[in-house]
Amino acid sequence: MKNVINGQYMVRQGAVLLGLMFTGASYASGLYLYEMATEDLGLAGAGQAARAGDASTLVTNPAGLTRLSGNMLTGGIQALYGDTNYQLDNDALLQGKSPGNTIGWFPASSVFWRQQINDRVSAGLGLYGNYGLGLDFGNWAGDALLKKSTLLAMTLSPAVGWKLSDRVSVGAGVGINYGFLSLTRDASGEDRKQTDHDWALNYRLGILFDLTPQTRVGLTYTSKTDYHFNINNQVRIAQLSNTTYVLPISADVSTPAQLMLSAVYDINPRWSVMGDLGWQDWSAYSNSQIYVASNAVEGNSRLRDTWHTALGLQFRPTPDWHLNTGVAYDSSFYRSQSDTSLTMPSGNTWRFGVGAQYQLSNTQQIGAAFEYADVQSSSVSSPLVKGGYHNPALYFFSMNFTQTF
């Protein structure tokens, strides 16, 4: 066995992706997802903080609640398919079967309510999951270390929007976040499963204003969310070259503060163009550090802030139809794609979305959307599980429905 390092390895994992960039309010990389089974999926998220198209605006910009009419219910279902194939390198200390595709299918759903209080104040309540994912490594050479990892996160979010004038609105929302983490590994031929859960709070502030009758701009700030899962147990794996490796595994998941600036311009009654510019404070964290002999490898310097940009187009051929398309780019939160985490296969990501909305009646609208996310390849440099994710990709399929009362 080549390159054997004597001593202990300790892996500290933020045990789930999201990875990937992306979550989608999904926002760019890592655990965040933009995708929440709403119309925004077909636009690749473009214009999200300024569009205010339905009740889901309480997440993308709570100030947008003031732009809607009447009481409104918006809901959606979504399926994610991840093609994230991990292959061990020939010189990895763990030799044998590689995990293969670690994601597969993952379902999600969301529901939002908007309530008219008076001419200037509107309230909303949303229940959604905007980050988390399941990884299944299967029976591979490292299944004594990690076989399955699932992070499920749900958010209940009340929000309020105030119309300060005919041109300016502000809003605020609170996220009551519940997270559930499950880690499974092989222990002497049997699956050993450890679980924990945690509650976390964050908040969201937004402003929306009309520059002209055809142009509106939105700005949203979302605070960080920190989950602390009490899973900390030593894992003893097979002896390699007369050295026994003992790996204490713990889990800590954090999502960074983020800022999103969006604009929408109505070219004419049939065409609108929209865009985003966003930032996330990933450099404040050291998620998924890998330690060798109790010494951190690169520590916090492993992560960097991420940037997001998007451009979308909406075409309304008739009053009943909205046709959407968009493209978005998110930078990687890793400083180097050659030193990434096994449980967070992220990188620079391009998103391409298409979708359509149809007005069933004066009070009902239905829509469908598809998005493809092309993620940069990444490599894990840790000698034990050295390998890489080659050309990973995500596929989102969603349907949404809005009822106005």
Side-chain angles (χ1 to χ4, degrees), residues 101-125:
N101 187 17
T102 61
I103 297 182
W105 290 98
F106 194 80
S109 62
S110 62
V111 62
F112 307 93
W113 173 259
R114 186 262 188 182
Q115 178 74 40
Q116 182 82 38
I117 305 300
N118 56 45
D119 291 342
R120 291 194 173 274
V121 180
S122 301
L125 183 66

Side-chain angles (χ1 to χ4, degrees), residues 93-233:
L93 295 184
L94 286 176
Q95 289 293 300
K97 183 181 178 182
S98 294
N101 187 17
T102 61
I103 297 182
W105 290 98
F106 194 80
S109 62
S110 62
V111 62
F112 307 93
W113 173 259
R114 186 262 188 182
Q115 178 74 40
Q116 182 82 38
I117 305 300
N118 56 45
D119 291 342
R120 291 194 173 274
V121 180
S122 301
L125 183 66
L127 180 64
Y128 58 94
N130 69 326
Y131 67 92
L133 208 57
L135 299 178
D136 188 349
F137 292 86
N139 297 313
W140 68 297
D143 56 14
L145 169 64
L146 181 64
K147 193 171 183 179
K148 293 182 181 180
S149 171
T150 302
L151 174 65
L152 298 177
M154 291 297 296
T155 299
L156 179 67
S157 181
V160 179
W162 295 270
K163 192 174 184 179
L164 300 182
S165 70
D166 291 339
R167 297 180 61 183
V168 181
S169 297
V170 296
V174 175
I176 305 168
N177 306 282
Y178 173 79
F180 172 82
L181 177 65
S182 171
L183 297 177
T184 302
R185 62 183 179 85
D186 183 273
S188 301
E190 295 184 358
D191 286 353
R192 179 175 180 178
K193 186 176 181 180
Q194 295 177 285
T195 64
D196 195 21
H197 64 92
D198 192 25
W199 292 88
L201 293 175
N202 72 333
Y203 65 89
R204 188 180 311 105
L205 303 174
I207 183 170
L208 183 65
F209 54 94
D210 295 340
L211 293 179
T212 71
Q214 294 79 32
T215 308
R216 59 187 178 276
V217 176
L219 180 65
T220 306
Y221 173 79
T222 303
S223 69
K224 68 177 182 178
T225 307
D226 293 326
Y227 290 102
H228 304 287
F229 298 108
N230 186 23
I231 294 179
N232 195 338
N233 194 20

Side-chain angles (χ1 to χ4, degrees), residues 17 82-86 99-104 134-137 342 345 389:
L17 222 51
D83 182 9
T84 54
N85 186 55
Y86 189 82
N101 187 17
T102 61
I103 297 182
L135 299 178
D136 188 349
F137 292 86
L342 174 68
Y389 287 96

Side-chain angles (χ1 to χ4, degrees), residues 23-90:
T23 176
S26 164
Y27 306 105
S29 307
L31 296 171
Y32 272 128
L33 293 174
Y34 298 100
E35 297 75 12
M36 295 184 299
T38 66
E39 184 181 4
D40 286 341
L41 185 80
L43 293 161
Q48 59 184 282
R51 235 175 34 83
D54 55 46
S56 66
T57 188
L58 71 88
V59 178
T60 54
N61 189 344
L65 291 167
T66 63
R67 292 188 59 89
L68 305 175
S69 300
N71 299 327
M72 181 179 290
L73 177 69
T74 298
I77 56 175
Q78 178 174 288
L80 158 66
Y81 180 77
D83 182 9
T84 54
N85 186 55
Y86 189 82
Q87 294 294 322
L88 290 168
D89 288 348
N90 292 332

